[in-house]
Amino acid sequence: MSEELHDLQAASGAVFADSDSEIQVPVSYGNDPGAIASAYQAVALCDRSDWGLIQVSGGDRLRFLHNQSTNEFQKLPPGQGCDTVFVTSTARTIDLATAYMTEDTTLLLVSPSRRQRIMEWLDRYLFPADLVELQDITASMATFSLIGPGSQGLLAPWGVAGDRPHASHQLLTLGEIQVRVAVGSGLALPGYTLICDRHDAASLWKFLTDDGAIPLGTQGWEQLRIQQGRPAPDCELTEDYNPLEAGLWHNISFDKGCYIGQETIARLNTYKGVKVQLWGVKLTAPASPGTVVTMGEEKVGTLTSYTDSPEGPFGLAYIRTKAGGAGLQVQVGEATGEVVDIPFVTRGYLG
């Protein structure tokens, strides 16, 4: 990891987890409530350098990636990108990733806990004749996310326009720092994701914080993730659920042709077979992930994530489609709850 960045963050009050990981990012700066408020009202800055960054190169890379995940790749020119879901052959979710197309590579930003698995998964489907090369470049790069309505104003002096599509990106130079600036914070909040060489990470971090971005640790990111409803591996993205149930309809192309898991997803859409859906739950008391959600004596779902939000206890849960959605009154362990919409997800059916 960048010792200079580590020292800079520590000087701002950063606390790091006790971990043997080669890439350590701040858990908290002791400012979680203020940083989370900044993400909604101004601009927060989160170090996401522990997220996996996989570089895919070679002349067959777009065809290959097109066949491995749910979104359309072959129509995307350099400078564009998309969110996409990696699924098993039975359409169970592995990870939600973001892809950025460059002139000669595709960069995949994947969840920290799925970095090795995605590398192994892609390598598993490579054939000797495929003109595709995979490289894990996570350790040599730094990834930051600016989150909040003030993000575009902060980057405007760089020439970053505010009307570009999600995951579109451009390579910019700030002084001597070369930075890839991509639209999207990783949440359902406005923002940008910035990728640079790890040697330049401290300089970029200082520039952004000097311009008013409030540092946000992974603890604050997790609270925002749950409030926003972004599904995460080992919580909402598991082999128990498919991407339609996880509310990732907007990351699926239904007309791109064959890919791993396509037949199952198409059948679920055609026959309206989505049996559970991801929702937010406002709770009256804390509850643990894994707690059964009930209505009367009937089990209608399972809590998958929980956080203490400024508005009170809040969780994510898969709820049976036939039981209902927003406005539903449920019991979650000792707590009562109200099922609510979450901004990150979308719902179908299509076609």
Side-chain angles (χ1 to χ4, degrees):
M1 64 178 296
S2 169
E3 293 297 331
E4 188 179 356
L5 175 61
H6 183 282
D7 293 344
L8 194 63
Q9 292 169 332
S12 298
V15 175
F16 296 84
D18 185 11
S19 169
D20 294 331
S21 172
E22 62 180 316
I23 302 172
Q24 294 187 36
V25 295
V27 175
S28 176
Y29 294 83
N31 67 340
D32 289 358
I36 289 168
S38 293
Y40 282 104
Q41 302 165 11
V43 55
L45 174 63
C46 185
D47 186 351
R48 297 174 65 197
S49 299
D50 58 332
W51 288 58
L53 195 61
I54 297 171
Q55 179 176 280
V56 187
S57 56
D60 292 335
R61 67 187 181 279
L62 293 183
R63 176 193 58 78
F64 174 71
L65 290 171
H66 187 89
N67 293 339
Q68 304 308 315
S69 68
T70 60
N71 218 335
E72 171 69 68
F73 275 78
Q74 297 191 115
K75 295 179 181 179
L76 291 173
Q80 297 297 310
C82 66
D83 289 341
T84 192
V85 189
F86 287 93
V87 297
T88 68
S89 59
T90 55
R92 301 304 182 178
T93 54
I94 300 172
D95 195 21
L96 170 62
T98 304
Y100 304 113
M101 316 301 168
T102 75
E103 290 290 345
D104 51 9
T105 68
T106 297
L107 297 176
L108 293 176
L109 185 63
V110 304
S111 300
S113 64
R114 290 297 185 265
R115 172 183 167 192
Q116 182 176 351
R117 184 173 180 189
I118 294 295
M119 279 290 291
E120 293 171 351
W121 182 264
L122 293 176
D123 186 66
R124 172 182 173 183
Y125 288 97
L126 271 179
F127 293 96
D130 288 332
L131 299 177
V132 177
E133 294 182 10
L134 305 173
Q135 185 179 3
D136 184 347
I137 61 172
T138 310
S140 64
M141 308 297 286
T143 302
F144 303 148
S145 277
L146 286 170
I147 310 165
S151 302
Q152 201 278 321
L154 191 152
L155 296 180
W158 294 16
V160 175
D163 56 353
R164 294 169 61 85
H166 176 72
S168 62
H169 54 97
Q170 53 193 136
L171 203 57
L172 301 174
T173 302
L174 173 65
E176 297 181 354
I177 308 172
Q178 194 172 63
V179 186
R180 187 169 303 281
V181 180
V183 178
S185 66
L187 300 167
L189 288 166
Y192 295 85
T193 297
L194 288 70
I195 301 172
C196 71
D197 189 280
R198 186 162 291 274
H199 294 298
D200 296 321
S203 298
L204 179 59
W205 185 269
K206 187 176 188 305
F207 173 85
L208 296 170
T209 52
D210 284 352
D211 260 23
I214 304 301
L216 171 79
T218 57
Q219 193 168 268
W221 167 276
E222 179 68 1
Q223 181 175 315
L224 285 171
R225 177 195 77 76
I226 296 171
Q227 288 178 274
Q228 295 282 295
R230 174 177 174 136
D234 303 317
C235 298
E236 294 76 36
L237 302 181
T238 73
E239 295 201 4
D240 292 327
Y241 303 105
N242 63 63
L244 302 185
E245 294 169 336
L248 299 177
W249 293 75
H250 52 301
N251 305 139
I252 299 169
S253 170
F254 287 89
D255 56 9
K256 66 176 247 180
C258 291
Y259 60 91
I260 294 173
Q262 182 264 343
E263 289 185 7
T264 300
I265 289 174
R267 189 163 58 247
L268 287 168
N269 177 47
T270 299
Y271 297 105
K272 297 180 170 53
V274 177
K275 295 181 179 179
V276 298
Q277 297 186 50
L278 186 63
W279 295 91
V281 185
K282 288 183 178 180
L283 297 163
T284 58
S288 300
T291 302
V292 170
V293 180
T294 59
M295 290 178 61
E297 298 297 318
E298 182 183 8
K299 175 183 175 180
V300 296
T302 304
L303 194 74
T304 55
S305 291
Y306 172 81
T307 188
D308 292 305
S309 79
E311 292 75 33
F314 189 84
L316 298 177
Y318 280 106
I319 304 292
R320 277 177 40 202
T321 301
K322 290 184 177 179
L328 198 67
Q329 301 298 310
V330 295
Q331 192 76 22
V332 185
E334 299 300 316
T336 57
E338 178 188 357
V339 175
V340 296
D341 281 309
I342 36 180
F344 193 89
V345 308
T346 51
R347 308 186 191 280
Y349 295 88
L350 303 180

